């Protein structure tokens, strides 16, 4: 039973590891350095396949992070349970380390198409949290600002910058599955799905790769 509970925890909004993505181009085909991006991936692992059930409409993506261009290149801030240091669930990936981990077969990149978006403020807030002890949110409860899952962190950053034109509310889902209800100890899940941003028309898909 304990191992089953762990599997359930990993099945929700987890950035999984496992088999290599044969992404051919190995190069980002978008280059607007003054934009914010949400970078998404999907893996072949069981946990990722289960997590897809909680998305609103995009059944491919299972993990997301916030992307910025810097002097170091393209950096992706994302919360994952796959870290050696459990107190550092928030990590900064490069394009390669994010897109070419084991098991990745799908990548999509979404650009926030707003000219006056406070990009530096968003990046500064991300860097502020990188310096903190951030744990993976296995309880999936919004509001504890030292623990997040991937989409919860992205929504938190976007909701906590000084910019009124963009704001996201969590989804409310009645949990039908008795096993999930038992594990989460609740009948209703208030959460940010991995594709929480896609109903906002200010986000435009600018890159997509699928290893078929």
């Amino acid at each position: 039973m304990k191992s089953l509970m762990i599997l359930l925890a990993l099945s929700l909004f987890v950035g999984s590891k496992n088999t290599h993505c044969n992404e051919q181009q190995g190069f980002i085909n978008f280059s607007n350095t003054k934009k914010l991006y949400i970078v998404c991936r999907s893996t072949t692992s069981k946990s990722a396949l289960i997590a897809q059930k909680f998305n609103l409409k995009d059944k491919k993506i299972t993990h997301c992070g916030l992307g910025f261009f810097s002097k170091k290149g393209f950096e992706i801030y994302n919360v994952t349970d796959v870290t050696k240091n459990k107190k550092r669930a928030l990590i900064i990936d490069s394009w390669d380390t994010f897109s070419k981990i084991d098991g990745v077969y799908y990548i999509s990149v979404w650009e926030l198409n707003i000219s006056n978006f406070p990009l530096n403020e968003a990046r500064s807030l991300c860097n502020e949290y990188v310096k903190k002890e951030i744990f993976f949110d296995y309880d999936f409860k919004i509001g504890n600002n030292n623990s997040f899952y991937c989409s919860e962190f992205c929504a938190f950053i976007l909701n906590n910058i000084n910019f009124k034109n963009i704001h996201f509310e969590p989804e409310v889902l009645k949990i039908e599955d008795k096993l999930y209800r038992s594990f989460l100890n609740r009948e209703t899940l208030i959460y940010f799905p991995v594709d929480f941003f896609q109903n906002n028309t200010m986000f435009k898909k600018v890159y997509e790769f699928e290893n078929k």
Side-chain angles (χ1 to χ4, degrees):
M1 176 60 73
K2 183 178 179 181
S3 61
L4 180 58
M5 292 297 100
I6 293 173
L7 175 61
L8 283 172
L10 294 178
S11 74
L12 290 165
F13 325 114
V14 172
S16 306
K17 47 185 179 179
N18 319 314
T19 98
H20 193 67
C21 171
N22 296 316
E23 201 265 356
Q24 295 297 314
Q25 295 172 331
F27 180 77
I28 305 170
N29 288 333
F30 49 92
S31 59
N32 192 329
T33 59
K34 297 182 180 180
K35 296 286 188 179
L36 176 138
Y37 297 90
I38 294 185
V39 189
C40 308
R41 72 186 179 209
S42 186
T43 69
T44 55
S45 70
K46 286 184 178 179
S47 60
L49 294 174
I50 297 173
Q52 288 176 345
K53 295 181 180 180
F54 293 88
N55 288 0
L56 297 176
K57 59 182 181 179
D58 189 333
K59 300 306 180 183
K60 291 183 178 179
I61 63 173
T62 58
H63 184 63
C64 64
L66 296 176
F68 304 86
F69 281 97
S70 72
K71 293 180 180 179
K72 298 178 182 179
F74 191 64
E75 297 181 318
I76 304 165
Y77 295 75
N78 64 112
V79 172
T80 174
D81 71 311
V82 186
T83 58
K84 294 180 180 179
N85 187 345
K86 294 183 183 292
K87 296 181 180 180
R88 291 288 184 266
L90 173 57
I91 62 174
I92 305 175
D93 273 313
S94 67
W95 173 258
D96 280 351
T97 58
F98 185 90
S99 66
K100 295 185 178 180
I101 67 163
D102 288 346
V104 176
Y105 69 90
Y106 178 81
I107 297 284
S108 65
V109 182
W110 300 73
E111 180 184 279
L112 179 55
N113 190 24
I114 304 176
S115 59
N116 61 338
F117 180 78
L119 188 67
N120 290 335
E121 183 184 347
R123 184 176 6 226
S124 294
L125 187 57
C126 285
N127 285 325
E128 178 184 327
Y129 274 81
V130 165
K131 296 174 184 177
K132 297 181 179 183
E133 290 187 348
I134 300 298
F135 298 85
F136 189 85
D137 182 8
Y138 288 103
D139 291 327
F140 305 102
K141 290 184 177 180
I142 297 170
N144 184 351
N145 292 344
N146 72 339
S147 65
F148 299 94
Y149 48 85
C150 67
S151 48
E152 181 186 7
F153 174 74
C154 293
F156 173 82
I157 294 297
L158 294 172
N159 284 344
N160 283 276
I161 55 176
N162 186 23
F163 191 70
K164 296 181 180 179
N165 292 344
I166 187 167
H167 184 81
F168 296 97
E169 293 292 334
E171 298 294 321
V172 179
L173 176 68
K174 184 177 180 181
I175 304 172
E176 302 290 348
D177 191 291
K178 292 182 180 179
L179 199 56
Y180 279 102
R181 286 206 305 265
S182 175
F183 171 72
L184 294 169
N185 194 28
R186 72 199 87 149
E187 295 184 356
T188 302
L189 180 65
I190 301 173
Y191 75 114
F192 289 101
V194 182
D195 61 344
F196 73 96
F197 61 93
Q198 290 188 16
N199 285 334
N200 189 312
T201 57
M202 294 180 183
F203 281 94
K204 178 184 177 183
K205 188 189 296 184
V206 293
Y207 179 88
E208 187 175 42
F209 171 83
E210 185 168 7
N211 189 14
K212 297 181 178 180

